[in-house]
């Protein structure tokens, strides 16, 4: 009986029958179960990826619409900027030319007119958040004080100039008087000589027909006349030969020059005292420069900054639009992990802000 069983079992193994051991069957069933789980997981992942892809496509569409709206808003702002720049430039030019055409116009009056202009203040309110009313009042008050001090300084300097001119004029008048006196003295001597010569000739003619007594009297008169004539001629010759007139003239000129030099020193001393008293004071030009910097230039800088920002917004919006229009190409072939990476990239792109990224790059 045992022999028949062994033979039968051996025959079964040799012909390759489908007999399975329990352990083999369990392993096969487990493998089939795991494969079914894997297939189910794949299907679940595919369905999940498909849903995520649809959601991502929707997200991209929504964000593209927002970026397009942002770009349209930036274009509108840019058009407003251009118009506001034109208005501001036109008002500044008109007010400046009006001030220049006025003989009493100054940089301060031109700036005050600008700060008072309604069009300029409307633009300032738009870009700075406030108009120039307060600064205009402050500027006017300070300018009144500065002009008062400048007028006082000018009056003091004008007085110094007047004192100098008066002293110089008086010195020149004295010199002219000396010159006239010299000229008058020489002329008087010449007249005296002429008169004495004429009288001497008259006495000599009369002495020919006179009596003895009269002749003696005439001779004495002639002798006195001759003596006087000699003295006059000697004096005249002395004045000419010794250049006494020129000497006196030089002395008078020297006196005039000395007077001028002394007056000039006095004036310089007085001017220095005036300048020392006002040393450190702000001038009207400097005050106008300060408030121009705080108002018009500040407004211009704000408009320029806004213009730069809007151009940067337009550029970045264009880059985002191009990116969003291309980023969805082929994403239907990605799994969840790939879609998550794409979404992260999209969010990073959308998070970019104009100018800030450039600043980071520079650092």
């Amino acid at each position: 009986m045992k022999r028949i069983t062994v033979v039968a079992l051996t025959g079964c193994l040799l012909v390759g029958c489908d007999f399975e051991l329990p352990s083999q069957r369990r392993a096969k069933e487990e493998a089939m179960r795991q494969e079914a789980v894997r297939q189910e997981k794949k299907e679940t992942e595919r369905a999940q990826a498909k849903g995520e892809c649809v959601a991502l496509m929707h997200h991209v569409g929504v964000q593209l619409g927002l970026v397009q709206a942002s770009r349209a808003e930036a274009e509108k702002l840019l058009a407003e900027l251009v118009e506001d720049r034109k208005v501001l430039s036109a008002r500044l030019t008109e007010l400046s030319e009006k001030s220049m055409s006025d003989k009493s116009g100054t940089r301060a009056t031109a700036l005050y007119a600008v700060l008072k202009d309604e069009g300029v203040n409307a633009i300032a309110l738009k870009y700075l958040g406030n108009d120039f009313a307060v600064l205009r009042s402050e500027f006017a008050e300070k300018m009144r004080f500065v002009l008062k001090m400048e007028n006082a300084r000018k009056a003091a300097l004008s007085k110094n100039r007047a004192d100098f001119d008066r002293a110089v004029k008086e010195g020149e008048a004295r010199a002219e008087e000396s010159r006239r006196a010299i000229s008058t003295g020489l002329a008087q001597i010449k007249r005296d000589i002429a008169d004495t010569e004429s009288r001497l000739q008259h006495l000599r003619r009369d002495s020919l027909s006179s009596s003895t007594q009269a002749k003696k009297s005439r001779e004495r008169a002639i002798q006195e006349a001759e003596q006087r004539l000699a003295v006059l001629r000697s004096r005249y010759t002395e004045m000419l030969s010794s250049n006494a007139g020129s000497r006196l003239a030089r002395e008078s000129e020297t006196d005039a020059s000395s007077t001028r030099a002394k007056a000039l020193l006095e004036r310089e001393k007085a001017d220095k005292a005036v300048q020392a008293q006002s040393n450190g004071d702000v001038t009207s030009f400097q005050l106008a420069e300060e408030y121009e910097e705080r108002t018009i230039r500040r407004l211009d800088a704000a408009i320029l900054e806004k213009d730069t920002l809007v151009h940067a917004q337009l550029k970045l919006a264009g880059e985002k639009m191009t990116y969003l229009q291309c980023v969805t190409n082929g994403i239907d072939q990605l799994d969840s992990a790939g879609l998550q990476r794409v979404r992260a990239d999209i969010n990073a792109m959308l998070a970019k802000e104009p100018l800030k990224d450039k600043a980071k790059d520079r650092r």
Side-chain angles (χ1 to χ4, degrees), residues 172-242:
E172 291 177 347
R174 287 194 298 270
E176 180 61 25
E177 184 178 354
S178 296
R179 287 191 293 270
R180 282 198 303 268
I182 294 168
S183 178
T184 301
L186 287 172
Q188 183 61 48
I189 292 174
K190 287 183 70 175
R191 286 194 297 271
D192 290 345
I193 289 174
D195 292 343
T196 303
E197 287 177 341
S198 177
R199 184 169 180 271
L200 188 57
Q201 290 176 0
H202 180 70
L203 288 172
R204 284 172 178 168
R205 283 197 304 268
D206 291 344
S207 66
L208 297 176
S209 58
S210 301
S211 62
T212 304
Q213 186 65 31
K215 283 182 179 181
K216 289 182 179 181
S217 177
R218 298 274 184 186
E219 287 175 358
R220 283 197 299 272
I222 288 171
Q223 187 177 8
E224 291 176 359
E226 288 176 343
Q227 290 176 352
R228 175 174 172 73
L229 182 60
V231 171
L232 289 172
R233 285 174 174 171
S234 176
R235 187 184 301 170
Y236 187 77
T237 301
E238 181 182 356
M239 289 184 69
L240 291 178
S241 62
S242 63

Side-chain angles (χ1 to χ4, degrees), residues 8-252:
L9 180 59
T10 304
C12 183
L13 290 174
L14 290 174
V15 299
C17 68
D18 293 333
F19 177 79
E20 289 183 342
L21 294 175
S23 60
Q24 291 176 323
R25 184 170 61 252
R26 286 195 299 272
K28 185 176 180 181
E29 290 175 351
E30 179 62 22
M32 292 175 63
R33 187 186 67 79
Q34 290 181 357
E35 180 63 24
V37 170
R38 282 195 295 271
Q39 291 298 326
E40 183 180 359
K41 184 177 180 182
K42 279 186 178 181
E43 290 298 325
T44 302
E45 288 177 349
R46 273 197 292 269
Q48 182 179 351
K50 185 177 181 179
E52 290 178 355
C53 181
V54 171
L56 185 57
M57 292 283 286
H58 177 72
H59 175 67
V60 169
V62 170
Q63 294 302 321
L64 182 59
L66 293 175
V67 172
Q68 288 172 336
S70 174
R71 180 181 175 84
E73 182 65 23
E75 289 174 342
K76 181 181 176 182
L77 287 176
L78 184 60
E80 290 180 6
L81 273 165
V82 172
E83 183 61 25
D84 289 339
R85 273 188 175 278
K86 287 181 180 179
V87 172
L88 180 61
S89 178
R91 295 304 299 149
L92 292 177
T93 300
E94 181 181 346
L95 294 169
S96 177
E97 289 177 351
K98 184 177 179 181
S99 178
M100 290 176 64
S101 64
D102 186 356
K103 292 182 179 179
S104 60
T106 63
R107 184 177 184 180
T109 57
L111 178 59
Y112 186 80
V114 169
L115 299 183
K116 193 176 179 181
D117 185 75
E118 291 183 1
V120 173
N121 276 281
I123 295 174
L125 183 61
K126 182 176 181 180
Y127 291 95
L128 298 177
N130 55 270
D131 60 18
F132 295 140
V134 174
L135 287 173
R136 181 179 69 245
S137 299
E138 183 181 304
F139 173 64
E141 182 180 352
K142 289 185 178 181
M143 185 56 71
R144 278 193 292 269
F145 176 77
V146 168
L147 290 176
K148 181 180 178 181
M149 298 303 295
E150 285 187 350
N151 290 334
R153 183 165 58 249
K154 289 177 182 177
L157 293 174
S158 295
K159 180 181 180 299
N160 295 342
R161 173 71 187 187
D163 291 344
F164 168 76
D165 291 342
R166 184 173 57 256
V168 171
K169 187 175 181 180
E170 290 175 354
E172 291 177 347
R174 287 194 298 270
E176 180 61 25
E177 184 178 354
S178 296
R179 287 191 293 270
R180 282 198 303 268
I182 294 168
S183 178
T184 301
L186 287 172
Q188 183 61 48
I189 292 174
K190 287 183 70 175
R191 286 194 297 271
D192 290 345
I193 289 174
D195 292 343
T196 303
E197 287 177 341
S198 177
R199 184 169 180 271
L200 188 57
Q201 290 176 0
H202 180 70
L203 288 172
R204 284 172 178 168
R205 283 197 304 268
D206 291 344
S207 66
L208 297 176
S209 58
S210 301
S211 62
T212 304
Q213 186 65 31
K215 283 182 179 181
K216 289 182 179 181
S217 177
R218 298 274 184 186
E219 287 175 358
R220 283 197 299 272
I222 288 171
Q223 187 177 8
E224 291 176 359
E226 288 176 343
Q227 290 176 352
R228 175 174 172 73
L229 182 60
V231 171
L232 289 172
R233 285 174 174 171
S234 176
R235 187 184 301 170
Y236 187 77
T237 301
E238 181 182 356
M239 289 184 69
L240 291 178
S241 62
S242 63
N243 292 323
S246 299
R247 178 177 55 80
L248 292 174
R250 287 194 300 272
E251 289 177 355
S252 64

Side-chain angles (χ1 to χ4, degrees), residues 249-261:
R250 287 194 300 272
E251 289 177 355
S252 64
E253 290 294 339
T254 301
D255 181 65
S257 298
S258 177
T259 300
R260 181 182 180 85

Side-chain angles (χ1 to χ4, degrees), residues 273-284:
V274 173
Q275 297 295 347
Q277 188 175 4
S278 60
N279 187 31
D281 290 350
V282 176
T283 65
S284 57

Side-chain angles (χ1 to χ4, degrees), residues 331-350:
I331 64 171
D332 55 341
Q333 303 299 320
L334 299 177
D335 58 9
S336 292
L339 290 171
Q340 289 175 4
R341 287 194 295 271
V342 171
R343 180 180 283 272
D345 290 342
I346 292 172
N347 291 337
M349 183 62 175
L350 293 173

